[in-house]
Amino acid sequence: MRKTSERSTDSPVTVAGCPRSTDSPGTGPEFQHSTDSPGTEAGSPRSIIGPVTGAGCPRGESYFIQEITDPRRTLASSVLVTGGELPLCSVRLTEPVPIARIPDVMKEIRKMKVEAPLESGTVLIRDVLGLGSNVIATKTIRRIKDTQ
Amino acid sequence: MKQEIQDLDVLIIGGGPAGLAAALRLRQNGIENILIAEREKQPGGILRQCIHDGFGLTRFREMLSGPEYAERFIREAEALKIPILTNASVTEITPDRIATVVARDGLRTYRARAIILAMGCRERTRGALAIPGSRPAGVFTAGVAQAYINLYNRMPAREVVILGSGDIGMIMARRLTLEGAHVQAVFEIQPYPSGLTRNIRQCLDDFGIPLHLSHTVTKVHGERRVTGVTVQEVGDGFRPIPGTEQFYPCDTLILSVGLIPENELSLGAGVKLDPHTRGPIVNERFETSVPGIFAAGNVLHVHDLADYVSLEAEELADAVTDYVTGKDLPDCSVSVTCDKNINHVIPQTVSLRESVNLSLRVNRPLTDVKVAAVQGGDVIAKKTLKKALPAEMISLHVPKDRILPGKELEVRIL
């Protein structure tokens, strides 16, 4: 019962699991998985990996190298709101962070409590855990009208 | 009770991504007397609970969450003073475009020159699958679990099994895990995943959640609450294979087994539906079989990206603008069909006057294929694809001067 979704294991390494931002190649934004792009000199991720083939879009190759050398993800969750029309405000990271740090970032988000009103886009945690990414509110929450 | 009938140029039913985008475009086109009827407290539709990012990549060239994507449209609608009647359920529309709306201040009746159906879709439930077993609490569709967690601050699960590899199910696998639940596995009855590759990667693989293809839940156990499910491998015709039963103890079964366009209102107005999309049959102007009633977004066919819903709704709004301003409209006399590799094509009829983008889905994964529009044996448009997946909508552009009169246009896989 180990029939999981198939992954190509062809050699040389074949790009699989490219995020589907490829609908309009060249017109979408670059996925910013890392600020420093892997180089080609000896000992760099690129030279360790060897030739990369099978990229389905212009971004495929850099995505692939990023994905196996320093995989990063964004994160979406929510924080508790007091005095708001909704009990929760959704939040997200502005930049992807290393996958291994996602649980730590989640812990920081869980600690948060915010007071309504709140504008979408407000920075709730600047440079969370020094990872170069902000936690921002993604919903505008109005303050609940004071009851009599 | 005597009711006053209010006249509108356009009534838009639903304030989600389709309805909002259509309203904005109508107003930009100079159509003033419009109204959005929205049954929820706030506009935004399903985007309000889709807090994950990935929205807006094609439209805004930014990676936004669902609520942010919706707010961009809502802000613009507010700036243009487009009236949005919230907490308002449309209960009936007639073929002559009279709509009955239950609003907070009572019953309202509108007569519209055009109606836009933008109600979106709903989830298939356990009832649609007929899974044997008891009827305990703890069986939720993925969207319901998503609303509990993201809107109402309620945690519905601890030990989870997910049936169906739809995108919302996979996104909820990640969300539940981040919130401290344990997701044991995702089971998919098809031999291929039904959601997008990026979600398999980022929502399942990242968290070590296995995806088992050709498996389904064959029994739900539990009295008051789910205590477990029996899972079986399936063979030909999706029949469970005896002897492959495995029991998974869990308190929650999440279903992500497909979306169905929400067309109760459309049926009431006599709108004809396509048995494959389960949405209205439309011409290239997104007009249904009932003149003056138009449809776009997930009510028409289920999309994989909200950005495409907005685009489609804007195209529809241009067509509705022509309709209400009395433009001479082309006769859509060419019918569009598809071969057995393709599940459906939208629109179902086209004219000779305009170029058209056909939206279609294949019904199984294919590699290195050509999707072609064929008329009377001639290929009039084609597109080469490295891979075609049922999870990904395909768009095929057919230039206007290539379409021939009188002959059926078939979309084929070559």
Side-chain angles (χ1 to χ4, degrees), chain B residues 319-339:
Chain B
V320 172
T321 303
D322 289 348
Y323 181 86
V324 297
T325 53
K327 279 242 177 72
D328 169 40
L329 300 176
D331 181 24
C332 295
S333 56
V334 177
S335 63
V336 181
T337 60
C338 54
D339 75 2

Side-chain angles (χ1 to χ4, degrees), chain B residues 44-175:
Chain B
I46 203 67
L47 294 172
R48 294 167 59 243
Q49 69 185 60
C50 297
I51 66 169
H52 52 279
D53 61 15
F55 296 86
L57 276 171
T58 51
R59 187 181 188 87
F60 299 115
R61 301 185 181 191
E62 279 181 66
M63 193 136 82
L64 303 172
S65 67
E68 288 171 291
Y69 184 87
E71 269 195 45
R72 298 225 170 167
F73 289 84
I74 295 166
R75 291 265 162 86
E76 232 181 300
E78 283 167 357
L80 293 173
K81 299 197 165 48
I82 294 171
I84 305 178
L85 187 66
T86 54
N87 285 304
S89 267
V90 179
T91 56
E92 190 191 25
I93 53 175
T94 67
D96 49 353
R97 301 182 301 280
I98 307 279
T100 309
V101 183
V102 181
R104 296 197 78 166
D105 56 358
L107 217 53
R108 296 183 180 205
T109 309
Y110 294 97
R111 179 170 43 217
R113 294 167 68 192
I115 288 179
I116 295 176
L117 306 173
M119 294 91 79
C121 58
R122 61 182 181 219
E123 297 179 280
R124 288 179 78 211
T125 62
R126 181 180 175 186
L129 304 181
I131 307 170
S134 51
R135 297 298 220 216
V139 181
F140 306 109
T141 59
V144 166
Q146 190 179 42
Y148 273 131
I149 296 179
N150 295 346
L151 296 180
Y152 304 113
N153 194 24
R154 291 286 177 270
M155 186 62 187
R158 287 193 198 98
E159 274 296 326
V160 185
V161 166
I162 299 180
L163 176 60
S165 57
D167 289 309
I168 320 164
M170 293 197 278
I171 284 162
M172 285 315 294
R174 173 175 63 187
R175 188 80 189 103

Side-chain angles (χ1 to χ4, degrees), chain A residues 1 3-4 7 20 23 27 29 67 73-78 80 87-88 90 92 110 138-140, chain B residues 48 51 53 61 65 67-68 71 75 149 153 179 201 205-206 211-213 246 248 304 308 392:
Chain A
M1 138 140 210
K3 234 169 149 188
T4 53
R7 293 264 178 271
R20 177 137 174 272
D23 307 288
T27 59
E67 190 65 8
R73 295 289 184 268
T74 54
L75 171 67
S77 187
S78 47
L80 285 169
L88 294 172
S90 51
R92 70 170 169 94
R110 281 173 173 285
T138 61
K139 226 179 240 188
T140 297
Chain B
R48 294 167 59 243
I51 66 169
D53 61 15
R61 301 185 181 191
S65 67
E68 288 171 291
E71 269 195 45
R75 291 265 162 86
I149 296 179
N153 194 24
E179 290 297 343
R201 181 83 181 159
D205 295 356
D206 277 4
L211 168 59
H212 301 289
L213 303 172
Q246 277 213 325
Y248 283 75
D304 29 284
Y308 297 156
E392 298 183 7

Side-chain angles (χ1 to χ4, degrees), chain B residues 353-365:
Chain B
R353 206 200 280 176
E354 315 232 359
S355 297
V356 65
N357 286 316
L358 302 174
S359 299
L360 56 117
R361 273 181 205 274
V362 293
N363 54 22
R364 68 198 152 85

